[in-house]
Amino acid sequence: MIPSENILYDTRAWAILSRSFELERTAGTYLFYGPDGVGRWLLAVSFAALLNCEKPERSDSEAKMLVPCGQCRNCRNIFALNFEGLQFAVPIPPHENKPEKAVEFTAEFIQQKKQEPFRIISDVKTQTIPISIARMIKKNLSLKADSEIRRVVVFYQMEKMLLSSGDALLKMIEEPPADTVIIIITSNPDSLLKTIQSRSQKIKVDRQPPQVIEKYLAGHYKVSTKKAQLVARISEGSVGRALDALGSDNEDDVSSRAVAFLLFKSLFLDPAPDTLAHMNDVLNLRDRGEAEELLRLWQLLIRDCAGMAVTSDEGEITNVDFAGDIGRLSGYFADSRLTVRMTEDIKNTLADLRLNVHIQGALMALALKLKRNISAVN
């Protein structure tokens, strides 16, 4: 894990946390919220390090905020995710209510986050934070803590916690153990119990500017400057999404699926000039095969969104790794006319591409048609 990233310490979120620590006004419970992959996990671990650091330092930025030194024993253990006072509750697959399996799945999740704290971890199975983990944490907190450490409990992706686990957490928040800070992490605070929201200090974790993401990719991965710039531009301010776009087999190649999906989202969420600019930036508009592959992927995504609009069943979709976003986009497909129109337009463009029409012109014209259809139906 990374102990001292400018990507973290230059944010408004860290300024709030650092100031509260310096004034000895640390809250008992925090609610970190923001999109996946923007650094909520790293923010939580870094704050745990600051709370336990033996010799906090001033940052190099103009604000001169307090930051953990990263070198003392506590900092090293915390950034290695191996600290007696740091506990995690994370979403894990079904495990037949076996506590030992819950511990095993949790350890696997933490190991992935240790290797890359910005990684967006998804699974084809339905994941939840089970009651067994909440009970285990509550039991551990009931034990007397070392007087020299500040215990920190991180509930990651809290929106995936079972209702029964949420009730157990609420009791923990109402009667917090001594010298313990609870950090709740979610992408959607409104999905949590109102009582949990009201008892937490909310900290918004902002999206990162493209140049910050470029710097991170260049510093930690073997990726060309051009690729880093392109990926950062379409990542929506999320380092995690940028990593997804790099692909897993060859870190210098942008994943065609990830790019196709980001461009698909742009059709719905961005102004037309931005969508066309993204397509110009990330596609080889002279490669007919790449253009056809993009459109075939869009066909699958349309089918997934249309299916979700009808059934709300993630188990029926093809692109399971994009399930969360597909669920959000499915609302556009409540009117079945959009599915028919988009499918027909893509089918016609694929036919045109096989007739050797101008690739760039065909794709740009299609994007504008699809955006008009989306606007007309919604």
Side-chain angles (χ1 to χ4, degrees):
M1 177 150 300
I2 308 132
S4 299
E5 287 292 339
N6 289 332
I7 201 168
L8 166 67
Y9 298 137
D10 288 347
T11 64
R12 177 190 58 83
W14 184 259
I16 296 171
L17 295 170
S18 176
R19 184 65 173 166
S20 68
F21 171 78
E22 190 169 6
L23 296 176
E24 298 183 354
R25 295 178 183 172
T26 303
T29 303
Y30 289 94
L31 175 56
F32 293 175
Y33 68 98
D36 289 337
V38 296
R40 301 167 307 176
W41 175 280
L42 183 56
L43 183 70
V45 174
S46 297
F47 189 47
L50 179 61
L51 292 173
N52 289 280
C53 183
E54 298 171 9
K55 45 182 180 180
E57 302 174 345
R58 294 287 175 182
S59 67
D60 293 333
S61 66
E62 292 182 7
K64 298 296 181 184
M65 296 176 287
L66 280 178
V67 298
C69 70
Q71 302 300 319
C72 69
R73 178 179 176 275
N74 287 349
C75 279
R76 292 198 308 272
N77 288 338
I78 289 173
F79 284 115
L81 305 183
N82 184 28
F83 183 69
E84 58 182 324
L86 180 60
Q87 298 184 73
F88 295 95
V90 301
I92 59 177
H95 53 280
E96 300 178 355
N97 201 28
K98 295 180 179 179
E100 64 275 11
K101 291 298 294 183
V103 172
E104 179 183 332
F105 283 132
T106 299
E108 291 175 0
F109 190 104
I110 292 173
Q111 181 61 28
Q112 292 185 65
K113 279 293 191 179
K114 180 179 178 180
Q115 294 172 353
E116 175 47 76
F118 291 100
R119 179 72 66 190
I120 298 174
I121 301 174
S122 59
D123 195 287
V124 297
K125 300 176 182 177
T126 301
Q127 293 181 319
T128 58
I129 300 176
I131 184 64
S132 59
I133 293 295
R135 287 172 176 166
M136 191 180 306
I137 289 174
K138 186 176 182 180
K139 179 180 179 181
N140 291 339
L141 293 180
S142 68
L143 303 175
K144 186 175 180 179
D146 187 322
S147 59
E148 296 182 357
I149 69 172
R150 192 78 171 269
R151 295 184 295 191
V152 178
V153 182
V154 178
F155 288 85
Y156 186 70
Q157 294 185 352
M158 182 64 179
E159 64 272 21
K160 294 185 178 181
M161 175 167 270
L162 295 175
L163 182 60
S164 55
S165 302
D167 291 338
L169 173 61
L170 181 57
K171 295 176 183 178
M172 204 182 302
I173 293 174
E174 290 174 337
E175 301 175 9
D179 295 321
T180 299
V181 173
I182 297 173
I183 299 176
I184 299 167
I185 297 176
T186 182
S187 58
N188 180 17
D190 291 335
S191 67
L192 307 183
L193 294 171
K194 296 294 184 183
T195 44
I196 290 179
Q197 295 186 54
S198 65
R199 287 168 170 79
S200 307
Q201 180 177 340
K202 291 184 177 180
I203 304 287
K204 183 181 180 182
V205 186
D206 295 320
R207 298 177 185 274
Q208 301 294 340
Q211 60 269 26
V212 174
I213 298 177
E214 290 172 29
K215 182 178 179 181
Y216 184 82
L217 297 178
H220 295 86
Y221 292 88
K222 294 179 180 179
V223 56
S224 68
T225 301
K226 181 179 179 181
K227 286 286 178 64
Q229 290 174 344
L230 296 180
V231 168
R233 198 171 300 159
I234 63 173
S235 64
E236 300 177 312
S238 166
V239 182
R241 291 194 182 281
L243 294 173
D244 284 347
L246 284 181
S248 57
D249 295 332
N250 186 336
E251 290 167 348
D252 198 38
D253 288 334
V254 179
S255 163
S256 60
R257 286 186 67 257
V259 168
F261 183 66
L262 289 169
L263 292 176
F264 184 74
K265 284 179 62 178
S266 183
L267 293 170
F268 296 86
L269 306 178
D270 294 333
D274 289 352
T275 300
L276 298 183
H278 292 334
M279 293 177 72
N280 267 317
D281 286 339
V282 301
L283 296 176
N284 180 354
L285 296 174
R286 295 182 179 180
D287 188 329
R288 202 169 303 276
E290 181 177 333
E292 292 179 357
E293 178 64 18
L294 171 76
L295 299 189
R296 282 191 286 269
L297 286 167
W298 280 6
Q299 287 176 322
L300 291 175
L301 290 167
I302 290 170
R303 186 177 68 182
D304 282 345
C305 288
M308 280 283 285
V310 175
T311 67
S312 299
D313 185 1
E314 292 184 5
E316 296 298 320
I317 66 176
T318 301
N319 297 281
V320 292
D321 47 338
F322 301 137
D325 284 314
I326 286 173
R328 286 184 281 273
L329 292 176
S330 65
Y332 289 93
F333 292 82
D335 188 327
S336 61
R337 290 178 298 171
L338 180 60
T339 304
V340 174
R341 292 175 182 178
M342 292 184 74
T343 301
E344 187 66 20
D345 285 339
I346 293 176
K347 179 181 176 182
N348 291 338
T349 302
L350 278 169
D352 289 342
L353 288 174
R354 296 185 185 109
L355 295 175
N356 291 324
V357 299
H358 187 262
I359 301 172
Q360 182 176 16
L363 290 181
M364 297 302 168
L366 172 64
L368 293 175
K369 283 182 184 178
L370 296 178
K371 292 185 78 69
R372 282 197 295 269
N373 287 334
I374 293 167
S375 298
V377 175
N378 291 274

